[in-house]
Amino acid sequence: MNTTTLPTAPLLKRLFALLYDLFILTALSFAYAALATLIMVNLFGTEDSGDYRPMQHGIWFQVGWLLTIVAFYWFFWRTAGQTVGMRAWRLKLVDQEGSTPSHLQILTRIALAPLSLGLAGLGYAWCLIDKNRAAWHDLASKTQVVETPKIEKKNK
């Protein structure tokens, strides 16, 4: 499939894919928190486990959680070019030549996408203005999100 000729994904589909991924990331965050709590209780005992608030007082917990989120996107974008949500909406991340993005492109995208969303969504809204439907993090990372064609199922 030649991804350079595929249409760029519209903003609404990108946001729906992000919403799907947020459900997966929530579950992943719960699993990470449970594992981190289990490790802390095993290392330090249960005396302080009632007061254990890793998100408030645990910088290492927060760093580990952030790295878990980064690993999620890095893994899916490097292996398939799609997260779970992107696959559901038939979207794929590619570089400007239509290939798998480099590690640097993915890291740039991971760092800047939250800013695009966090600044009142202006980075994502840029898709509505840009002639190529590119968000700020697309432009900075030299990547694009394209729509893949629907796969027709053959009747048996």
Side-chain angles (χ1 to χ4, degrees):
M1 157 176 43
N2 185 0
T3 54
T4 57
T5 59
L6 294 175
T8 305
L11 177 60
L12 196 56
K13 279 192 174 188
R14 293 171 69 151
L15 292 176
F16 281 134
L18 179 60
L19 180 63
Y20 277 41
D21 286 339
L22 286 176
F23 291 125
I24 302 292
L25 289 170
T26 299
L28 187 62
S29 296
F30 280 125
Y32 173 77
L35 181 62
T37 302
L38 182 66
I39 291 170
M40 291 301 291
V41 166
N42 282 322
L43 288 177
F44 301 110
T46 58
E47 300 86 41
D48 296 328
S49 63
D51 291 334
Y52 181 57
R53 293 182 222 139
M55 291 304 284
Q56 292 177 348
H57 305 292
I59 186 69
W60 293 113
F61 178 89
Q62 294 170 8
V63 169
W65 176 69
L66 183 63
L67 289 175
T68 301
I69 304 283
V70 168
F72 169 84
Y73 282 105
W74 199 309
F75 173 78
F76 281 106
W77 285 341
R78 275 300 290 177
T79 57
Q82 298 173 298
T83 61
V84 176
M86 292 172 78
R87 185 174 298 250
W89 286 92
R90 295 187 348 259
L91 305 179
K92 185 171 186 174
L93 179 68
V94 295
D95 65 11
Q96 291 177 333
E97 287 78 40
S99 301
T100 301
S102 70
H103 292 291
L104 181 59
Q105 287 174 308
I106 290 173
L107 184 60
T108 302
R109 190 174 177 82
I110 289 170
L112 296 179
L115 293 174
S116 289
L117 190 61
L119 295 171
L122 291 175
Y124 275 91
W126 193 257
C127 293
L128 302 172
I129 299 169
D130 188 82
K131 64 178 174 135
N132 296 321
R133 293 184 182 167
W136 289 347
H137 50 282
D138 297 328
L139 297 170
S141 64
K142 296 183 173 109
T143 59
Q144 61 182 338
V145 179
V146 296
E147 284 188 276
T148 60
K150 189 172 186 176
I151 298 172
E152 298 292 328
K153 294 182 180 180
K154 295 180 182 180
N155 293 334
K156 291 183 181 182

